[in-house]
Amino acid sequence: MEIRLQKYLANAGIASRRKAEKYILEGKVKVNGKVITNLGTKINTEKDLVYFNDKKVCVKNKKVYILLNKPENYITTANDQFDRPTVMDLLPSISERVYPVGRLDYNTSGLLLLTNDGELTYKLTHPKHHISKTYIAKVKGIPDENSLNKLRKGIVIDGYKTSPAKIKLVRKFSENSEIEITIYEGRNRQVRKMCEAIGHPVLKLKRIAIGKIFLKDLPLGKYRYLTKEEISYLKKL
Ligand code: URA
């Protein structure tokens, strides 16, 4: 990942970005053994070695927790064999190597957590933990109460029965509707398959919450850092 040198120094906790610029101009910063005084310099966070006052700058140990509002048509992996845009393309100024916590389909939007905290990722994605995930699904047609109850109780998809889910019909349009779905497991394309199974295929899908972490009004394609409270909430789950 490429990042401006002053931003890299700031992320590593050396100084504010402004101060870091001053240090660069003063010749206190070396990249791969060479003094760099050009403020536009970009460095490759995976390859380049950065030194401040001849001491190696290290950002590796800093844990970061990011909440991204993933747009549709972005893939939730670091690399895609078909060269499609990946969620990493939306985090150009994050110098740490972060990884998505679980995944969202290519055509699903909404809340995606990314972190370099492997322990937390393991916990949040392990099936035994039953962390809730809430989605708004726009579906074809308007499901009746009987169909919604099937989703609530559990429905057979791919030869297994889904565990009980919270289901709310939130909006009705003339030809389709929106339902809020909270599930406590996360099988492949689960929400799409559940809706398909009651005869109301998903037209659009957006994740709005993981546990009590909410997407709220974060614009599409933007990210923010989790707050201290949110991080400790996730760790305690
Ligand atoms: N369920 C789905 O079907 N797709 C997602 O992206 C997430 C949950």
Side-chain angles (χ1 to χ4, degrees), residues 104-105 108 135 189-192 205:
L104 287 176
D105 295 338
T108 298
Y135 299 85
R189 299 177 76 83
Q190 178 163 343
V191 173
R192 290 174 197 275
L205 187 61

Side-chain angles (χ1 to χ4, degrees), residues 95-113:
S95 53
E96 295 82 4
R97 192 105 187 88
V98 292
Y99 297 92
V101 177
R103 45 185 296 280
L104 287 176
D105 295 338
Y106 182 63
N107 51 351
T108 298
S109 66
L111 193 163
L112 183 70
L113 297 178

